[in-house]
Amino acid sequence: MIVKMNKYAFMVYYREYDTFLETLRNLGVLHVKETNSILDNAELQALLAERKRVNLALRFCKSLNAQDKSVTLAPGRELTKEAGLKLLGKLEEMQNKKVQLQATEASLEKDIAYMEIWGEFSYANINRLKRAGYDVTFFSCPTSKYEPKWGEEYNAFLVNNYQSVTYFVTVTKTGTAINIDAERPKMPDRGLAKLHLAYEQLRENFKVLDKQMKEFAAAQYNTLIELDKNIQNEFNLSNTLVQTDREAGDKLMLLEGFVPAEDAPVMEETLEKDGYYFQQLDILDDEKVPIKLKNNKFTKLYEPITRMFSLPNYSEFDPTPFFAPFFMLFFGLCFGDGGYGLLVLIVCTILKRKVNPDFKPYLTLFQFFGLAALIVGSCTGSFFGIELAKVPAFSAVKDYFVNSDNLMTFSIIIGLVQIIFGKVVAALKTMSQKGTKYGIAPLAWVFIIIALCCFFGLPMLHVQLSDMVKNIFMGIAAIGLLVAFLYNSPGKNIFLNFGTGLWNTYNVASGLLGDTLSYIRLFAIGLTGAILGGVFNSLAVDMTEGMNVVLRAICMLLILLIGHSINIGLCTISSLVHPLRLIFVEYYKNAEFEGGGKEYKPFKKA
């Protein structure tokens, strides 16, 4: 659900404003209304840039610390901002130095690879020849273009043939014109031995630098966290000052903000005690109110999914509790295998004991997903790609497993249920936003769809209906159509309502068919995963046929481990992507979810 907010205005004398803001920050419940843009404020932009630098440093240090599980992090120290940024600069210097070393390493590796073609020689000897009046010139050309006569004319010596390229040198008297159709490569400034020596020294420098950075990461990680908190607090305070309006010659400071209704009494009591003036204001219809979600333990797990699309706006419902059960069911249908679901459930249960507490909610979410897959897979009789209906031990209950035809029908039915549920949510939301009379026509369409689905669908599922029941369904549909055609725009004339009703009929009919067919993919994706699991089982049996017992067991185990691991990965991806699509496209469309809400961020110390 969306937490109810109260809007407040505060008026404070300028000499008391700093103390007032400190009081608000200690309370930690006020979301400051942003009336002025932070993009044009140089101070705020500078603080954002500093936070970005610190966050990059924190991620870098965290990755270094993760490489050594035995590392002990030093406690954080309280530094001034100047000292903290200086500390940050030391890390950035080491990072820049590493980048320079990496560039030097790439250059040395290139020079060594090239000099290995020429082999070891001494530049000192070449310089002696030059002082004696002889030039040594290096050449390379395609092997097909090399001319043996160059050896006689220019005293050319063949050095190497490599990948159809000939490398050679000429030794000529200084000043001799050399007319050879070949490239004169730019040679490295050192011989091969010195290049290898420089490369070894470079590797040592890398080791020293890596050690220094790891020591820095362990010693300063928590200190950088404190620095980030201080900069964040400075930003929040500066932003609050930017959003403050100044009146009466800058003597009065005016501030507006939002407070959760449940926290408002404590804030009012504290401010009244300190003698500050405030007034509760009415929230305007088109006002951007910050959104704070409050759900139970199960539904709260799905809030990150809501945030992936958008937070709801203040005037609509929180979609999280409405789609959470559907998403869990959709995941189970797409995963489609009870064995895979059991494995996911066990792995997540084990990992929850070891991972960071921040990741535990995600593992809990996947525990529910695994449970859903286990239940669906057990109903369909698929367990690690094995069709339980064909296993003799389950012959007595094989008729109770859901076959593919029934599963496809179930996917269509659950799709219709969610579409109808979405339309009910849309109708209730319209009633909440505009008034009860505006939701009557949308609710009429819900009754029309349910009545027609029962009238035509139940006989297709071999459910016999009496004539009286059929007449009741048709009567409900007729009454619903009458309301939908004549009362879809309250207050408008009957002809306009009738025209709008015709248009709505076309939209509902065409949209309902397309939306419902989208849910067939739930069945198709689940069936694909189960079939692929069976294929890997068949491969494990067929490919190891004829081997001795021990070798066959080992090879079968390897094939099954690799194959089912790949299949679980593919099933997990498809079981997340398609339900997300159904929620964000089909359900949100039918529920007329608008989104665009801004998250509630209270003014408080980090």
Side-chain angles (χ1 to χ4, degrees):
M1 60 174 286
I2 299 175
V3 174
K4 186 178 184 302
M5 291 284 172
N6 290 350
K7 182 182 176 183
Y8 287 91
F10 308 91
M11 185 168 64
V12 183
Y13 186 54
Y14 77 102
R15 289 184 177 176
E16 300 176 347
Y17 198 56
D18 290 340
T19 307
F20 167 74
L21 291 181
E22 187 63 25
T23 302
L24 282 183
R25 186 154 65 173
N26 290 333
L27 288 169
V29 295
L30 178 72
H31 177 102
V32 177
K33 181 181 178 181
E34 294 189 355
T35 55
N36 300 310
S37 173
I38 67 173
L39 298 177
D40 301 328
N41 190 284
E43 180 184 359
L44 293 180
Q45 291 302 310
L47 289 171
L48 286 175
E50 288 171 353
R51 280 207 70 195
K52 184 177 180 181
R53 287 176 60 196
V54 176
N55 287 328
L56 288 173
L58 283 171
R59 285 199 293 269
F60 180 76
C61 291
K62 187 176 182 180
S63 66
L64 288 182
N65 293 330
Q67 295 173 12
D68 184 4
K69 294 183 179 180
S70 63
V71 67
T72 302
L73 302 183
R77 295 175 293 132
E78 278 289 343
L79 299 177
T80 63
K81 181 180 173 182
E82 183 181 0
L85 292 177
K86 187 176 180 181
L87 184 67
L88 182 63
K90 286 179 63 177
L91 177 61
E92 290 172 342
E93 285 179 9
M94 287 189 283
Q95 289 175 315
N96 291 334
K97 185 177 179 181
K98 185 171 183 178
V99 171
Q100 293 171 0
L101 289 177
Q102 288 172 337
T104 304
E105 180 185 36
S107 178
L108 282 174
E109 288 175 346
K110 180 180 177 182
D111 288 347
I112 288 172
Y114 190 67
M115 287 298 286
E116 284 177 345
I117 297 174
W118 291 98
E120 181 57 60
F121 61 88
S122 172
Y123 275 95
N125 292 333
I126 293 176
N127 291 331
R128 288 194 193 98
L129 286 172
K130 188 172 185 66
R131 289 194 296 272
Y134 291 91
D135 289 335
V136 178
T137 310
F138 294 82
F139 290 95
S140 66
C141 71
T143 302
S144 59
K145 292 187 177 182
Y146 180 76
E147 298 287 346
K149 64 180 181 179
W150 293 341
E152 298 176 1
E153 295 177 359
Y154 303 108
N155 204 20
F157 295 93
L158 182 64
V159 176
N160 201 350
N161 283 317
Y162 182 72
Q163 294 183 347
S164 302
V165 177
T166 296
Y167 298 86
F168 61 98
V169 296
T170 61
V171 181
T172 57
K173 288 186 177 182
T174 302
T176 302
I178 303 175
N179 187 17
I180 290 179
D181 185 16
E183 182 181 352
R184 300 190 184 193
K186 182 180 180 181
M187 299 296 292
D189 58 355
R190 288 166 285 183
L192 193 57
K194 289 186 176 181
L195 285 172
H196 278 296
L197 187 63
Y199 188 79
E200 292 301 321
Q201 183 60 50
L202 181 70
R203 297 309 305 170
E204 288 298 320
N205 293 342
F206 261 122
K207 290 179 182 178
V208 172
L209 184 60
D210 285 341
K211 182 180 178 182
Q212 290 175 348
M213 288 196 294
K214 287 181 180 179
E215 290 174 350
F216 181 96
Q220 309 300 343
Y221 179 74
N222 287 322
T223 300
L224 289 177
I225 289 179
E226 294 301 319
L227 175 63
D228 182 56
K229 290 180 180 178
N230 291 337
I231 296 177
Q232 183 180 350
N233 289 333
E234 184 181 352
F235 174 85
N236 291 339
L237 180 59
S238 298
N239 184 41
T240 304
L241 292 172
V242 168
Q243 308 309 328
T244 302
D245 293 328
R246 293 161 174 80
E247 301 292 342
D250 291 347
K251 299 294 183 182
L252 292 179
M253 316 297 277
L254 303 180
L255 183 68
E256 290 186 6
F258 299 90
V259 179
E262 58 192 12
D263 298 323
V266 175
M267 185 200 72
E268 291 182 2
E269 182 181 351
T270 303
L271 295 182
E272 285 175 351
K273 186 188 302 181
D274 294 337
Y276 296 115
Y277 174 79
F278 62 89
Q279 182 179 357
Q280 185 174 348
L281 305 177
D282 293 330
I283 296 177
L284 304 178
D285 292 337
D286 58 346
E287 195 161 14
K288 285 288 184 181
V289 182
I291 303 300
K292 181 181 179 182
L293 302 181
K294 184 178 181 180
N295 292 296
N296 58 41
K297 289 184 179 180
F298 172 74
T299 309
K300 192 175 183 64
L301 298 172
Y302 293 82
E303 287 182 5
I305 297 175
T306 301
R307 288 182 170 85
M308 284 176 63
F309 181 81
S310 172
L311 285 171
N313 62 53
Y314 190 68
S315 62
E316 59 185 359
F317 301 146
D318 176 11
T320 313
F322 299 123
F323 75 69
F326 286 105
F327 194 97
M328 180 177 167
L329 176 60
F330 292 167
F331 185 94
L333 287 170
C334 289
F335 220 65
D337 189 281
Y340 293 166
L342 179 62
L343 188 62
V344 170
L345 183 60
I346 293 172
V347 170
C348 290
T349 302
I350 295 172
L351 290 177
K352 276 182 70 174
R353 301 177 181 177
K354 301 179 180 180
V355 299
N356 188 299
D358 294 339
F359 291 98
K360 286 187 177 181
Y362 298 101
L363 292 175
T364 303
L365 180 61
F366 270 87
Q367 281 181 305
F368 282 109
F369 288 165
L371 179 62
L374 175 59
I375 294 172
V376 172
S378 300
C379 292
T380 58
S382 177
F383 206 84
F384 287 111
I386 301 171
E387 292 185 56
L388 298 182
K390 296 181 179 180
V391 177
F394 293 93
S395 58
V397 295
K398 67 178 183 179
D399 293 334
Y400 294 99
F401 291 124
V402 179
N403 59 39
S404 58
D405 292 337
N406 292 337
L407 188 60
M408 184 175 70
T409 303
F410 179 75
S411 298
I412 294 174
I413 291 174
I414 198 65
L416 274 171
V417 169
Q418 194 192 35
I419 290 170
I420 293 170
F421 184 76
K423 290 186 179 297
V424 171
V425 172
L428 295 177
K429 190 179 73 168
T430 302
M431 289 180 176
S432 174
Q433 292 174 336
K434 299 180 180 179
T436 303
K437 62 182 180 180
Y438 291 93
I440 293 177
L443 272 181
W445 277 112
V446 172
F447 284 103
I448 293 168
I449 294 170
I450 293 175
L452 292 178
C453 285
C454 291
F455 183 86
F456 293 105
L458 291 178
M460 294 174 65
L461 297 175
H462 308 292
V463 177
Q464 298 299 323
L465 301 177
S466 65
D467 292 339
M468 183 181 72
V469 173
K470 290 181 179 179
N471 291 335
I472 291 173
F473 285 144
M474 291 306 294
I476 293 172
I479 295 172
L481 280 172
L482 189 65
V483 174
F485 270 72
L486 302 180
Y487 199 67
N488 52 71
S489 300
K492 302 292 178 67
N493 65 65
I494 189 172
F495 298 105
L496 181 61
N497 279 333
F498 185 78
T500 305
L502 286 175
W503 178 247
N504 289 340
T505 302
Y506 169 77
N507 287 333
V508 170
S510 58
L512 187 64
L513 178 62
D515 293 347
T516 305
L517 292 177
S518 296
Y519 290 84
I520 295 179
R521 295 196 186 100
L522 293 171
F523 149 76
I525 294 172
L527 188 62
T528 301
I531 292 174
L532 193 56
V535 170
F536 286 119
N537 292 338
S538 299
L539 286 175
V541 174
D542 296 339
M543 292 179 66
T544 59
E545 192 174 2
M547 298 181 181
N548 64 63
V549 177
V550 176
L551 182 60
R552 186 179 191 188
I554 295 173
C555 291
M556 285 182 67
L557 184 61
L558 287 174
I559 293 172
L560 290 174
L561 283 174
I562 295 172
H564 285 298
S565 296
I566 294 172
N567 198 22
I568 289 174
L570 294 174
C571 286
T572 302
I573 294 172
S574 59
S575 300
L576 287 173
V577 171
H578 190 62
L580 283 174
R581 179 190 175 278
L582 290 177
I583 295 298
F584 291 158
V585 177
E586 306 299 346
Y587 172 69
Y588 276 7
K589 177 182 69 176
N590 286 289
E592 298 179 10
F593 178 74
E594 300 168 14
K598 186 175 183 179
E599 188 168 7
Y600 165 74
K601 294 181 179 179
F603 174 53
K604 63 180 181 179
K605 289 186 178 180

